[in-house]
Every structure is written in structure tokens, then in C-alpha cells.
Amino acid sequence: MDFSFTEEQLLFKEQVLKFARKEIVPRCQEHDLKGEFDYQSFRKLGEFGILGLHFPEELGGSGADVVTSVLAAEALGEAGVDGGLTLSYGAHTYLCADTIFTHGTEEQRRKYVPKLAGGEWIGCMGLTEPGAGSDVAALSTRALRDGDRYILNGSKMFITNGPIADVAVIYARTSAAGERHEGISAFIVEKGTPGFSAGKKLNKMGVRSSYTSALYFEDCAVPTENLLGREGMGFLMAMQTVEWDRSTLMAPFLGGMSYILERSCRYSRERVQFGRPIAEFQAVKHKIADIRIFLEASRALVYRTAWCKDQGRPLNHLEAAVAKLFVGDWSLVPTNNAVIIHGGYGYCHEYDVERTFRDSRLAPIGGGTSEVQKMIISRLMT
Amino acid sequence: MRSLLAEESEGIRGFESQNLADHSQAYRDLLKMLAGIGYLEIGLTPDRTERSPYADLGTAVLAGEALAEVFPDTYLGIEISSRVVGGLIARYGSEYLKGRYLVPLLKGEALGTVALSESSRNFPAAKITTQAVAQGEGYLLNGTKKGVINGPLADLIIVPAQLSEQTALFIIQSAQDGLVLSEPCSALGYKRIAFADLTFRNCRVAKEEWFGLLETKAIMPELQVKMNLAITVSSLGVMHRALFKAKEYGAAAEEGGKPPLAYQEIRYRLAEMFALYQTSQLLAYRAVWMLEQGIAEANTVVDSAKVFITEAAEEVARGSMQIAALDGYLGSNALEAGYRDARFGPVAGESSEVLRMRIADDCLRKYL
């Protein structure tokens, strides 16, 4: 196994770091505290090329590999970009745009991917429902064929970018026959389609600058040319996004660990108690060390998943579940350590380790809960 | 080589014996077998050692894992003899030392060790107190080393000692006058290897039995890295055994009319243990890969791996005993032995506490 990066990959990571520190980070705290999506920063991510990094140039991308995409996402977190913006970017690029790119027709690709890659449009994915979270195959949104269109009825829940999305990839049941997961299909639904609406923005504990809402479909007519792939292939498509979820979507958490490590080191050097910097106390040093240890362990998992995808290897579901479980569950430890190192200041909004603590709470929940990962691991472990 | 190692090493008996001679014979049998399949010389051929002290370490770790899964403790003893002692002689030893000591080590005809720990036991934290003074055509060594792995069985011992203002490395043979071995130390776990304290009382070393004036500032950290890595891989073996023995138990036993694995709590516990194990493996591979590539941060990642993996082994061993409940606690069984063995990693070599301090210092330097 090769863990190396090319000079180009490392150079690009450095560029993303500089760009994010200058253009994005100064705006993060305000948007997080207000719970507002930062349209300007999102567009800047598009202009810089991050939103469409791995798409081909003719579709507005840069043709980057997965490892480069992971390093770019890691750089955003490392620069101090808030989890809300990186979550919006992940859902937009990997759950929506990439699904259209991977499974769409040439026409669908040309129509949607360039606009999404450049940030002109915002994308989302609608899979989770009020009654179908971890149990994806239980979804009940229906799509009934009616001539040259499908009529969608149902609702989706906890949809990242839901209230602001221009285009959504929606999973709905087209057939009740066969196994539960066999009758699911995916559709592209555009904003403004009659019968399609978004619910009120949900007020969340963390990742606050990312908008989350329900989506509603009431006799929403979608043309048949908006079907993604073939009928009944939706479940497989949804599962394929897992590859991205376990690499690029988790990479900002890695970057976030580097960020809080840096902040904790600097703060503990500056903060003097009992006549000396708190960095000289063993208890503080041990907390710093534990942040670093977690970071290195997580890097091994996430880089490995990205590397395997670049090698064209089919997703190893066991490894993917381990990566999600480990990074998800353990990411709470270093962010908590950072808050404790910062003491009272760590609890205040002014020191953004508080924000990373709140943001990290999503890690064991979003993209498949830790409990679901344990279920998968216990089933697959040899 | 992995499957061959697993198969062949399972067949060797005698490690459990309380008799030191039987124990020694089992070691010799295992060494011979390992020499026969080329295990002992991985990374130690002249073309490899000249290139880097960490050449082929990835291969050695992968092969070593297979051995550690069967005998985590014996793996450690063998690794110290081959990659640590053999590695030092191959890279820094004179032609005389290579001919006299390296060849028998690689043929499995001799067992080596390195005596690092002194009264503080955590060797990097304290200055070496064992003294060497030049006398005539050789040197006289005085001092005591503590809890030396392979101590009672080793044919040759590498001894770091202070020579004037420098640390120098000497080779002592087991029958050397002035070398006093304590009784084998009684230990909580790792029963298949032997520990002893070694005392040197005017122990005479011939001039040709030392490594010359080396740049020990570089060699001692290299030695620490190799020791820590060997302990880390050994802990991977402990973890592997505990995890799969617990799974075996969970499938075969019966609790409330069904196997323990039928209970979600047990399955989830196993899943958590598996996640720790696989994360540990990947972290170890990445650390070794960084060492092989000569990446600047490799040492800190190796330190991180040692802390994480040895502590994860404890957690996995604890989980495996919990799954087997009283069956794991009572009597002599693999889960109970694994629980005791797992305690070794975090205290052996450089302890978790020492390493955490060094990792933090590295981070604090980086973010000045």
C-alpha cells in the first residue's frame, strides 16, 4: 500500500490552505453564530475549483483524483473553515453532482454538472425520510410512472442544502415488487418544479452555517428524462456515495483535527498559570498528544479509502464501515480535549474550538450512524 | 510467508514449560524454522542495510504480524534478536562482528538481545549509568541493566554504556566473566519470553567486540524506534488473538439458550474491537511506510502508533474477556492470557506517558 502524495497534490493542498485562510475563514464565525449559509464563500469555492475538483475539464472540473480531493477537503478543515460550509460542499459535490456525473446520461451531465461544479447552482440529495434514516430501504416516497413523467409523493428529512438547493437528487420507490431495496430509483428534481417544496430551516447544534430541512413532494411531476440510471438502481447508487462519504466527506474532520491541534498548541504556549505556560504541564501535553494520535490514526483510514478508490478497487464495505465508525466516534475526543485545554475560553464562542466541538457531534450521526456501522462490521468481519 | 509462519509456528511446543532448558530449546527450534523460510534475514542483507536502517521494514512487519498472531511474546523476542540486534550489527558492525555474530543470528543458531533499561526502566528518560573504561586492549564494563528481554537465554548481548562523554555499544557473550544474570523475572504476562536483570562487574570486553565511536545520537533513537515498533507489532498480535478468540467464543458458547453473538450488545462490542484492530493495523503500516520513505514526521507517527496500538490492545483484550464473562476470567485460557499480555505494551519500551510527552513536544515545536 502506498501512502505517498505527489508534489502536485501537496502543492495544491497548500494553495487551498492559503486560499481558505484568506478568503473563507474570516467569514466563518459570523455565519456559524448566525446560522446563515455563506453564499459568497460557497461561490468562491466554486471559482477556486474545489466544488468540481474531480470532474473532467469539459464539465467544469479539473480532473483531479480522489486523493487530491481528500487533501483539498482536509485543507479546508485545517485552515479553520467551519463544518457547516464543508458539509454543504460535501453534500453538493459528492452526494448530488457526483451522482449525476456517475449515473447520468450525457445530456444530464452536460446540463447539471458544469453549473454545480462552478457553484452557480447548489445541489442536495434527498434520501433520508422521517421513517427511513439508518434503514434506507424502508423509504416510502413514491414515484409512479404516468406516461412520460413520474409523479412523486412523500417527504424527505434532514436534507443538507435542502432549503437552498437548485437541483436535488431524490430517491423514491418506483416498485413495491421484490426485495425492499430493489424498487428504489433516483431522480433529478429542479427547484421550482410544481409540487416540490422545502421545509423550514432546522436549528442545529453544530454545522450551523449549513442549511438543513425537510423536502416535500405533492403530486410533483418529474419528466422521465430526469430518471437517473435505470429504474430500480437507486439503492446501489445511494450506496456508491458511501465511497465518497468515507473519504472526501470525512477529510474536513481530519483537517479540523489539525486545526484544533494548532490552536491548542498556540494557546497553551500563551496561557500562563502558576507562573508558567500551561504547555509545560504534563496533563495538558497529554491532551495535545491525544489529539495528534487520533489525527494520525484517522489519516491512515481516510487516506487508505481514497487510495483504494483511485486504484479502481471496489469499495470494501468492512473497511469503509470501520473508517466511519472510528472517525465518527473518536472525533469527539480531540475536540473535547481542545475545549478543555482552552478552559473557560474554550466554552465561549470567541474561541472557535467551541465550534469544532459542536460540529464534531455530527460525525457519529451523519452519513450512517455509528450503530449502523457496528451492524455492518459485525456482519462482515471474518 | 504469512500462512507458512502461522502453520509452522503453531507446531512448536515447549514455550509454556517452566523449565528454562525446555524453553530455550523451543526458542532454538523456532529460530531454525524461521531461518529456514528466510524470515530472520528480511531487511538484513548487506544491500538492504547499507541503504537504510529501515529497509524492508514493511515486509518484516507484515511477516512479523503472522508470527505475533500465534506467539505475540515470542515474536518480540525474535524481533529483538534479528531486526534490532542483527540490524545494528549489519549496519554498524565491523566485518569481524558481522562474521562472528550476524551470520549465526541469521541462521537461527544464536539468540541476541540488547540491554537498554536501567533503574529508571524507561531508557530515553534517564542517562545511561553503565560505565565503560578503556583498559589495555579492551574495556571494562560496570553497571546493571533491568528486565532485559531474552536476558536468560541470549547468546550475545548488546550493551550501551558511557565511555567518557559518549554512549558506546559493546557486545557481551553470555558466558563472559563478570556478567551476572538474575533469576528470570516473574511477569504478569508474556510468559513465552524470559526477562532478567544483568549486572556487569568488571566485565571485560575485547577491543574488537565494540562498535567503535559511532554517532550514537542517531543510533540510540533508531534503536528506540525499532524496539517500540517491535512492541507495537507484538500488541497487534495480542489484539488479533483476543478479537478472534472472543468471536469464536461468541459463536460457540450458549447464553440464555442462544450463542452470545445473537445478542446485539455482544456483536456491537466485537465491531468496536474490530474497528480498533483494523485502525491499528493501518496506522502501523503507515508509520512503517513513513520510516521506509525517510519522511521527517515518521518518528512521531511511530510514537503515536505505539501509544494507540498498545492501548487499543488492552481495550480489545478487556472486551474479549467481557464477552466470555466468567469463562474468560476463570482458569487458564487464551482470553485470560491475552488480558495479561495486553498490559505489557503500554509499559514496555518507552511507556505511553513518555511517548505522549514526546509527541506533544513535537507538536508544540511545530506550532511555535
Side-chain angles (χ1 to χ4, degrees):
Chain A
M1 185 166 49
D2 190 350
F3 288 100
S4 61
F5 304 117
T6 64
E7 274 184 37
E8 291 75 18
Q9 286 170 332
L10 292 174
L11 189 64
F12 184 68
K13 184 185 176 189
E14 203 53 41
Q15 288 169 345
V16 175
L17 258 174
K18 281 184 187 159
F19 154 77
R21 281 180 179 144
K22 187 176 173 213
E23 304 286 343
I24 311 285
V25 173
R27 302 166 57 82
C28 288
Q29 190 179 61
E30 182 192 346
H31 286 83
D32 171 70
L33 293 180
K34 287 183 179 170
E36 284 179 0
F37 182 72
D38 186 355
Y39 288 93
Q40 182 181 315
S41 290
F42 194 79
R43 273 194 296 274
K44 280 188 176 174
L45 289 178
E47 288 162 15
F48 194 81
I50 288 176
L51 297 181
L53 204 55
H54 71 289
F55 299 126
E57 286 181 24
E58 62 270 24
L59 293 176
S62 307
D65 54 22
V66 185
V67 169
T68 304
S69 305
V70 161
L71 290 177
E74 187 181 359
L76 293 178
E78 198 170 325
V81 175
D82 66 293
L85 188 63
T86 55
L87 177 67
S88 284
Y89 142 61
H92 164 93
T93 297
Y94 299 109
L95 305 186
C96 176
D98 185 75
T99 307
I100 297 174
F101 170 71
T102 306
H103 302 287
T105 62
E106 198 51 36
E107 202 179 346
Q108 287 169 335
R109 286 174 159 199
R110 294 202 174 280
K111 181 174 179 185
Y112 296 106
V113 175
K115 285 191 171 110
L116 291 165
E120 186 183 339
W121 278 11
I122 296 172
C124 74
M125 178 191 79
L127 179 65
T128 303
E129 295 184 358
S134 298
D135 183 10
V136 173
L139 66 83
S140 62
T141 295
R142 300 301 302 261
L144 292 177
R145 180 79 184 250
D146 177 27
D148 58 357
R149 58 189 192 161
Y150 287 89
I151 308 296
L152 270 63
N153 277 288
S155 62
K156 297 290 174 182
M157 195 57 179
F158 304 126
I159 307 305
T160 302
N161 297 342
I164 52 172
D166 300 285
V167 59
V169 169
I170 300 297
Y171 293 89
R173 191 167 291 288
T174 44
S175 166
E179 295 289 325
R180 291 191 312 157
H181 61 270
E182 286 177 355
I184 298 169
S185 304
F187 300 90
I188 302 170
V189 183
E190 290 183 31
K191 185 180 181 178
T193 306
F196 172 39
S197 61
K200 204 175 76 173
K201 176 180 71 116
L202 297 168
N203 195 7
K204 306 190 297 294
M205 170 187 176
V207 292
R208 289 173 55 81
S209 74
S210 160
Y211 285 172
T212 310
S213 74
L215 299 178
Y216 302 108
F217 303 90
E218 291 175 54
D219 291 330
C220 174
V222 176
T224 50
E225 62 259 31
N226 281 22
L227 173 72
L228 262 174
R230 295 197 314 274
E231 254 196 37
M233 298 298 289
F235 186 81
L236 286 177
M237 289 181 200
M239 290 303 104
Q240 280 180 7
T241 63
V242 165
E243 287 176 298
W244 290 108
D245 195 89
R246 307 306 182 243
S247 52
T248 45
L249 276 160
M250 288 207 297
F253 283 110
L254 299 188
M257 295 309 120
S258 296
Y259 179 68
I260 59 167
L261 181 60
E262 179 179 351
R263 302 290 287 203
S264 299
C265 287
R266 291 193 195 288
Y267 179 82
S268 59
R269 278 189 172 283
E270 289 161 14
R271 175 72 172 168
V272 174
Q273 289 287 282
F274 303 103
R276 53 183 172 151
I278 61 169
E280 292 180 12
F281 291 100
Q282 288 190 354
V284 172
K285 280 190 172 181
H286 279 201
K287 285 191 166 45
I288 288 172
D290 282 340
I291 298 173
R292 175 70 183 267
I293 291 165
F294 167 80
L295 172 63
E296 297 302 343
S298 301
R299 277 178 170 156
L301 291 164
V302 174
Y303 292 164
R304 157 91 182 167
T305 311
W307 179 81
C308 285
K309 189 163 169 61
D310 273 338
Q311 300 302 307
R313 295 188 185 182
L315 179 71
N316 180 322
H317 289 280
L318 184 59
E319 285 183 6
V322 165
K324 177 64 175 67
L325 175 63
F326 182 81
V327 180
D329 269 9
W330 285 66
S331 65
L332 306 176
V333 175
T335 53
N336 188 45
N337 277 356
V339 168
I340 292 170
I341 289 169
H342 283 74
Y345 293 113
Y347 195 69
C348 299
H349 290 317
E350 284 72 15
Y351 284 72
D352 47 12
V353 293
E354 175 267 349
R355 188 191 70 219
T356 61
F357 177 68
R358 282 186 287 109
D359 288 351
S360 68
R361 196 59 195 83
L362 181 65
I365 300 170
T369 63
S370 291
E371 285 63 37
V372 168
Q373 307 315 316
K374 288 176 197 174
M375 200 164 75
I376 295 168
I377 293 166
S378 63
R379 200 170 55 224
L380 296 179
M381 65 179 278
T382 52
Chain B
M1 184 179 276
R2 280 180 68 88
S3 55
L4 193 61
L5 269 171
E7 268 173 41
E8 295 279 326
S9 46
E10 282 278 19
I12 294 175
R13 296 279 173 266
F15 285 118
E16 279 76 12
S17 169
Q18 298 298 311
N19 182 312
L20 203 60
D22 292 345
H23 201 108
S24 177
Q25 189 55 50
Y27 237 125
R28 310 287 156 176
D29 292 346
L30 183 60
L31 280 170
K32 276 283 175 200
M33 185 279 282
L34 294 172
I37 62 172
Y39 175 88
L40 296 180
E41 63 179 15
I42 297 171
L44 295 180
T45 51
D47 58 318
R48 313 306 289 162
T49 49
E50 276 168 23
R51 195 166 63 90
S52 154
Y54 306 120
D56 295 336
L57 205 52
T59 310
V61 163
L62 279 177
E65 250 193 295
L67 181 58
E69 286 165 12
V70 185
F71 299 133
D73 38 13
T74 316
Y75 155 79
L76 180 61
I78 302 271
E79 195 63 11
I80 289 171
S81 177
S82 55
R83 242 71 59 191
V84 179
V85 172
L88 274 174
I89 298 172
R91 188 162 165 82
Y92 303 108
S94 62
E95 287 309 312
Y96 166 79
L97 290 180
K98 287 178 192 170
R100 176 147 192 202
Y101 297 113
L102 184 60
V103 173
L105 281 175
L106 300 188
K107 284 185 176 172
E109 293 165 354
L111 183 72
T113 192
V114 55
L116 286 166
S117 297
E118 296 188 343
S119 53
S120 77
R121 298 217 179 226
N122 243 324
F123 62 87
K127 196 178 172 189
I128 291 171
T129 57
T130 299
Q131 296 288 328
V133 288
Q135 194 188 65
E137 287 296 294
Y139 300 90
L140 280 185
L141 261 62
N142 280 286
T144 300
K145 303 286 184 180
K146 294 280 189 180
V148 178
I149 295 170
N150 292 345
L153 304 174
D155 303 294
L156 63 137
I157 305 152
I158 291 185
V159 183
Q162 282 297 117
L163 178 64
S164 302
E165 290 305 305
Q166 274 194 292
T167 303
L169 301 176
F170 300 88
I171 296 185
I172 304 276
Q173 293 177 63
S174 56
Q176 190 84 19
D177 285 345
L179 168 63
V180 181
L181 268 72
S182 72
E183 284 296 305
C185 305
S186 174
L188 175 69
Y190 273 43
K191 299 291 189 187
R192 296 186 204 91
I193 48 174
F195 304 83
D197 296 343
L198 311 181
T199 301
F200 309 100
R201 290 183 191 144
N202 288 328
C203 188
R204 186 164 189 80
V205 185
K207 195 175 180 182
E208 57 272 20
E209 304 285 317
W210 79 307
F211 284 75
L213 282 173
L214 297 168
E215 193 45 70
T216 46
K217 274 185 184 160
I219 294 172
M220 291 307 280
E222 183 186 310
L223 205 52
Q224 289 162 12
V225 164
K226 285 187 173 176
M227 287 291 279
N228 284 340
L229 203 58
I231 294 162
T232 303
V233 174
S234 176
S235 288
L236 275 178
V238 170
M239 223 184 307
H240 182 277
R241 279 177 74 82
L243 175 66
F244 288 97
K245 289 285 178 193
K247 185 171 180 267
E248 226 172 83
Y249 179 90
E254 193 183 300
E255 286 286 345
K258 48 185 178 178
L261 274 180
Y263 295 92
Q264 193 176 51
E265 180 63 24
I266 302 290
R267 289 200 305 276
Y268 279 22
R269 185 72 180 257
L270 265 178
E272 287 165 7
M273 289 156 60
F274 185 82
L276 278 177
Y277 172 62
Q278 201 169 71
T279 304
S280 297
Q281 268 188 312
L282 282 177
L283 178 56
Y285 298 161
R286 182 163 170 263
V288 167
W289 177 85
M290 288 174 84
L291 274 178
E292 282 185 329
Q293 302 297 313
I295 292 170
E297 292 199 320
N299 283 10
T300 304
V301 178
V302 172
D303 287 349
S304 299
K306 200 290 185 161
V307 174
F308 182 82
I309 294 166
T310 55
E311 292 184 359
E314 277 199 285
E315 183 57 29
V316 170
R318 197 170 72 85
S320 68
M321 183 176 275
Q322 194 65 25
I323 286 171
L326 270 179
D327 284 341
Y329 185 77
L330 295 175
S332 185
N333 63 73
L335 298 176
E336 180 264 345
Y339 187 77
R340 287 185 287 102
D341 286 348
R343 194 72 275 282
F344 180 72
V347 298
E350 293 174 287
S351 72
S352 288
E353 287 69 26
V354 168
L355 291 177
R356 279 192 167 92
M357 295 296 282
R358 197 158 69 209
I359 293 165
D361 285 339
D362 177 70
C363 296
L364 287 161
R365 267 195 305 274
K366 188 175 171 186
Y367 299 119
L368 266 175

